[in-house]
């Protein structure tokens, strides 16, 4: 049986250290303690029924909802594909605060504009995901080889100019990234890390949360209440 949980954590937002290893290399980890506030969902609870769920979704301004279904990216307001041609596989997407739809299509990253995929940059391999932050900052994360993951910053992407900056690599698979201003939260295995610029191009990672059981599959953060929501999944006999 596969058990799905969603946990809520109270997260203390303190600044990162001013020293860090070079960008693109493994970062040192500083331990911190955090208590679980509430388990808000458990797939074993009465009333939960297995069903067919979309493999991804994004919510933008004015509650615009974009979902993936039947190998397409759909606008849920009319169940209309946002691209005239299906995206390359695998694909991922997100909406930013301005309503722009960023898409990873195979090994390319771009924007969905008027039903067309407008490529902004190539990616080193397929399997990347995208998370949009404030101020035109968009984060790409995916496999870098040898069991490691890489995180990139796409700074103010546009058709005219795209700045791609590698922030760091990390052991394991980064499964989710949540932008927090100039910093990010990201998940690997059962751990959630905060990462932020320390000086120049150097970044520091701080372990913020370790779940009691089950690998993390997604993150969400309520900035107003400073509560981190973590969904986990583990298989039992």
């Amino acid at each position: 049986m596969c058990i799905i949980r969603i946990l809520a954590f109270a997260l203390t937002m303190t600044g990162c250290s001013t020293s860090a290893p070079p960008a693109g290399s493994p970062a040192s980890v500083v331990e911190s303690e955090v208590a679980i506030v509430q388990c808000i969902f458990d797939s074993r609870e009465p009333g939960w029924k297995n069903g067919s769920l979309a493999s991804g979704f994004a919510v933008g301004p004015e509650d615009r909802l974009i979902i993936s279904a039947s190998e397409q990216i759909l606008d849920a307001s009319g169940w209309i594909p946002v691209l005239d041609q299906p995206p390359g596989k695998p694909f991922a997407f997100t909406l930013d605060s301005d309503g722009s739809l960023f898409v990873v299509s195979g090994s390319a990253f771009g924007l969905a504009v008027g039903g067309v995929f407008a490529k902004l940059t190539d990616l080193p391999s397929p399997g990347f995901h995208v998370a949009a932050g404030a101020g035109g900052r968009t984060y790409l994360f995916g496999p870098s080889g040898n069991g490691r993951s890489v995180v990139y910053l796409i700074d103010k992407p546009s058709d005219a100019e795209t700045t791609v900056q590698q922030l760091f690599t990390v052991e394991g698979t980064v499964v989710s990234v949540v932008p927090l201003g100039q910093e990010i939260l990201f998940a690997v295995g059962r751990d959630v890390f905060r990462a932020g610029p320390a000086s120049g191009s150097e970044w520091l990672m701080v372990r913020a949360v370790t779940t009691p059981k089950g690998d993390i599959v997604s993150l969400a953060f309520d900035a107003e209440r400073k509560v981190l929501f973590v969904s986990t999944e583990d298989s039992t006999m």
Side-chain angles (χ1 to χ4, degrees):
M1 180 177 66
C2 183
I3 300 170
I4 300 172
R5 303 178 182 87
I6 299 178
L7 307 175
F9 294 84
L11 197 63
T12 302
M13 303 302 293
T14 56
C16 285
S17 168
T18 57
S19 61
S25 65
S28 60
V29 173
V30 180
E31 300 289 347
S32 64
E33 295 184 357
V34 65
I36 298 177
V37 176
Q38 183 183 13
C39 180
I40 63 174
F41 173 82
D42 193 313
S43 63
R44 296 171 297 177
E45 292 178 353
W48 166 253
K49 296 180 179 179
N50 292 325
S52 177
L53 300 176
S55 60
F57 68 94
V59 180
E62 300 180 353
D63 295 328
R64 184 188 184 195
L65 176 62
I66 303 295
I67 69 167
S68 63
S70 302
E71 301 183 354
Q72 284 275 14
I73 303 174
L74 305 177
D75 189 322
S77 63
W79 302 102
I80 301 171
V82 299
L83 295 173
D84 294 336
Q85 299 293 326
K89 298 180 182 179
F91 65 86
F93 55 90
T94 192
L95 285 164
D96 72 0
S97 58
D98 295 326
S100 297
L101 179 58
F102 295 98
V103 178
V104 173
S105 177
S107 57
F109 169 71
L111 283 163
V113 181
V116 177
F117 176 72
K119 186 173 74 171
L120 297 173
T121 188
D122 291 312
L123 299 171
S125 66
F128 271 70
H129 297 272
V130 58
R137 296 169 66 88
T138 302
Y139 297 89
L140 291 164
F141 55 100
S144 63
N146 299 319
R148 302 185 66 82
S149 295
V150 60
V151 178
Y152 292 96
L153 169 64
I154 310 298
D155 198 10
K156 300 184 185 302
S158 67
D159 292 332
E161 182 180 1
T162 303
T163 301
V164 182
Q165 177 188 356
Q166 179 176 321
L167 300 182
F168 56 83
T169 66
V170 64
E171 187 75 25
T173 300
V174 175
V175 296
S176 185
V177 167
V178 174
L180 296 175
Q182 300 295 309
E183 301 181 355
I184 61 172
L185 295 171
F186 69 93
V188 177
R190 290 172 48 204
D191 296 317
V192 179
F193 297 88
R194 280 182 60 215
S199 62
S201 61
E202 297 180 341
W203 276 57
L204 176 71
M205 298 180 197
V206 178
R207 180 179 284 112
V209 167
T210 298
T211 60
K213 61 174 62 177
D215 287 341
I216 297 168
V217 294
S218 65
L219 301 174
F221 184 67
D222 184 331
E224 182 176 348
R225 294 187 296 163
K226 295 182 173 60
V227 174
L228 173 66
F229 296 92
V230 179
S231 66
T232 66
E233 182 177 84
D234 65 275
S235 299
T236 60
M237 296 299 291

